[in-house]
């Protein structure tokens, strides 16, 4: 029986377990990436492990998220990351060099390699045939130390792309169509593998848009074959020697198969407040637009910028629209400058932002009250833009640019001839903004500089056998990590200061939660379906840990967040019968009587709701390794205990 593309890479990197769907496997990690909003924590964790140097082939620390620097906090974190990187063997991509996923694709990604990143959009690397996975910072720290990365062997599903994209329809519309069909839970426990005749016409930036936003499906990762298109891209990046051909065997077996005829696609938009709330742009044409943002790790390539510039050239954006453009990298910005596109954008009225995440994570450029914001980004969760009542729509660069001119959400197919942009045969290559670490023998000389905002890590305690605690919060379905631990310009400066960050935990959902939890001293959270979807931020587990949360009981969990809870020593359990969700209320006193025995015995846990006088069965499918992690009090304690 033949192998799928993902199975081939997993097989080559398998260090533990069997490639049987649902079983835990350990894979060796070749490359890691961090960004600054998760990086400080990841490097503090790496330092705590006491390993003198990273053991990966390449680890890169990017500064791209927290760049507003409205106080000393972000700048201190950057300096900490710069010094820690220099000392421990990590390449440091300076602020200004670009968004981690864009730069990694351009300069470091290699087909067939594994990449683990402390950012949920790490699967962007799947665009060039890497097995690129997002995780919490602690998993990245362990991988930097040479440890394997553990996941449940995903199902591999195939999406075959046929036909040809019509004019004005783009890769963003392909992934929006997939989100429309599969929803934000459709990819959970799965790897999405792309194939089909249409791939010959899909450039690497287009493929990367699709793999990037595969994160919104909840997928473990998404991957394209490494073919001639990949070779051309790497050649244009001066890295043809990194190319390696990779594809699935012709007789590979997939768990599911879906075919999408690109010829039938139309411009689409994800409407507020979920990336899977997808509708044709033509049906939204009456909606007036207040702001348009073009960029983010989803659509900030040179091709995007050139297309937008061609659409705006010689025109001025609509009087009631504010347009922000954040190019994905220094390479993109340099080339759009050299090619004249930047001047066209400025002339049309665009506000040029840094090559960073910017508005995507609420780092500035928040919309006005009740404002409609059209963004080429990947997430439109409520409040994420920094404006609680903003209405955010996710669209392609083409739809965004045309709408910026019209002042209304506009279907670009009604806008005349689509722009044709020709990509250069070679990109502008200048890696001078990526700093090399010192050789191991010089590491002693490097002083790691810590600012006053960097506070110690919270550490979990081993699980007790009897756990009695009240329900401190009950939430509904599809709770995102942006609900649990909001981002944005006001809160992000405290990513390395858990006690301060804790004040904002669940702030939009229940402003009293944080104080209540601190006072209670221990407690449970009750969640619905897909609890913890969205980002990889381990702060959404570390802060609840600091706030004494011992367990989260939900109908189901998103993959990365569940792993982060276990890593933090917090018990994630699900209801055996989803209807039991209704049998627990805020304030109920819950008891897990034989926790350790239940944990060792199997998958069932007995929960007594003392307030209601009823018993329920809960489920927790844990691998032997995860049981040990929970018993030892989190992955950091477990890793240290193992090393000793
Ligand atoms: C995001 O898009 O939500 C982020 C900000 O990039 C996060 C990481 C973080 O919270 O720092 C992610 O996607 O993992
Ligand atoms: Fe940055 Fe937005 Fe991409 Fe997250 S999704 S890495 S915040 S650009």
């Amino acid at each position: 029986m033949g192998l799928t593309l993902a199975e081939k890479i997993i097989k080559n990197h398998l260090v533990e377990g069997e490639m049987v769907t649902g079983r835990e496997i350990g894979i060796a990690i070749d490359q890691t990436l961090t960004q600054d909003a998760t990086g400080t924590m990841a490097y503090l964790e790496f330092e705590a492990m006491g390993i003198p140097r990273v053991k990966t082939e390449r680890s890169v620390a990017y500064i791209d998220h927290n760049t507003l620097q409205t106080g000393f906090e972000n700048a201190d974190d950057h300096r900490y990351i710069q010094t820690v990187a220099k000392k421990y063997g990590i390449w440091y991509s300076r602020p200004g060099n670009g968004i981690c996923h864009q730069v990694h694709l351009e300069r470091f990604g290699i087909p067939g390699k594994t990449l683990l990143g402390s950012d949920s959009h790490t699967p962007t690397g799947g665009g060039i045939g890497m097995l690129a996975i997002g995780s919490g910072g602690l998993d990245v720290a362990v991988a930097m130390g040479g440890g394997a990365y553990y996941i449940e062997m995903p199902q591999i599903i195939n999406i075959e792309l046929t036909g040809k994209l019509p004019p004005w329809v783009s890769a963003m519309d392909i992934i929006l169509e997939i989100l429309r069909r599969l929803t934000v839970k459709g990819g959970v426990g799965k790897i999405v593998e792309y194939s089909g005749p249409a791939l010959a016409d899909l450039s690497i930036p287009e493929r990367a848009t699709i793999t990037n936003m595969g994160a919104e499906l909840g997928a473990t990762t998404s991957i394209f074959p490494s073919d001639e298109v990949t070779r051309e891209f790497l050649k244009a990046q001066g890295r043809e020697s990194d190319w390696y051909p990779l594809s699935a065997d012709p007789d590979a077996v997939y768990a599911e198969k879906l075919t999408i005829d690109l010829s039938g696609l139309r411009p689409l938009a994800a409407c507020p407040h979920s990336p899977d709330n997808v509708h044709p742009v033509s049906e939204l044409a009456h909606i007036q637009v207040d702001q348009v943002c073009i960029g983010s790790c989803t659509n900030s390539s040179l091709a995007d910028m050139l297309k937008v510039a061609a659409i705006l050239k010689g025109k001025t954006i609509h009087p009631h629209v504010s347009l922000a453009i954040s190019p994905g990298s220094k390479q993109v910005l340099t080339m759009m400058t050299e090619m004249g596109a930047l001047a066209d954008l400025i002339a049309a009225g665009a506000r040029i932002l840094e090559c960073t995440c910017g508005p995507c994570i609420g780092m500035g450029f928040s919309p006005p009250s009740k404002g409609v914001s059209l963004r080429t980004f990947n997430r439109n969760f409520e409040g994420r833009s920094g404006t609680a009542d903003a209405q955010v729509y996710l669209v392609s660069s083409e739809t965004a640019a045309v709408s910026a001119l019209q002042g209304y959400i506009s279907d670009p197919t009604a806008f005349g001839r689509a722009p044709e942009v020709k990509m250069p045969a070679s990109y502008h290559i200048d890696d001078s903004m990526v700093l090399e670490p010192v050789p191991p023998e010089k590491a002693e000389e490097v002083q790691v500089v810590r600012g006053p905002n960097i506070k110690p890590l919270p550490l979990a305690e081993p699980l007790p056998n009897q756990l009695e605690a009240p329900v401190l919060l009950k939430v509904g379905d599809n709770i995102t990590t942006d609900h649990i631990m909001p981002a944005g310009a006001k809160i992000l400066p405290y990513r390395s200061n858990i006690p301060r960050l804790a004040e904002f935990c669940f702030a939009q959902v229940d402003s009293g939660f944080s104080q209540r939890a601190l006072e209670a001293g221990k407690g449970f959270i009750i969640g619905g379906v897909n609890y913890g979807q969205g980002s990889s931020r381990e702060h959404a587990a570390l802060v609840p840990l600091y706030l004494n949360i011992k367990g989260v009981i939900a109908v189901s969990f998103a993959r990365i967040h569940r792993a982060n809870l276990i890593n933090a020593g917090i018990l994630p359990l699900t209801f055996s019968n989803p209807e039991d969700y209704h049998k627990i209320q805020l304030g109920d006193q819950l008891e897990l009587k034989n926790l350790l025995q239940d944990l060792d015995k199997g998958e069932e846990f007995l929960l007594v709701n003392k307030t209601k006088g009823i018993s329920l069965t809960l489920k927790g499918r844990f691998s032997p390794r995860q049981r040990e992690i929970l018993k030892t009090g989190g992955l950091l304690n477990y890793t240290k205990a193992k090393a000793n």
Side-chain angles (χ1 to χ4, degrees), residues 35 64-65 99-101 119-122 124 212 216 295-298 300 356-362 377-379 384 487 492 535 537:
Q35 38 89 339
D64 56 357
H65 279 62
I99 305 174
C100 55
H101 308 303
D119 192 281
S120 65
H121 291 102
T122 304
T124 312
N212 172 284
E216 274 52 68
S296 90
C297 56
T298 315
S300 61
T356 58
C357 304
C360 180
I361 194 185
F377 306 170
N378 49 38
R379 290 188 174 139
R384 180 174 159 101
L492 278 166
S535 85
R537 64 189 72 142

Side-chain angles (χ1 to χ4, degrees), residues 51 68 82 85 135-136 139 189 255 263 277 287-288 352 390 400 578 584 586 613:
I51 295 169
L68 268 189
Q82 178 165 357
S135 75
D139 282 315
S263 321
N277 185 14
I287 299 172
Q288 189 174 314
I352 309 299
I584 303 181
L586 181 68

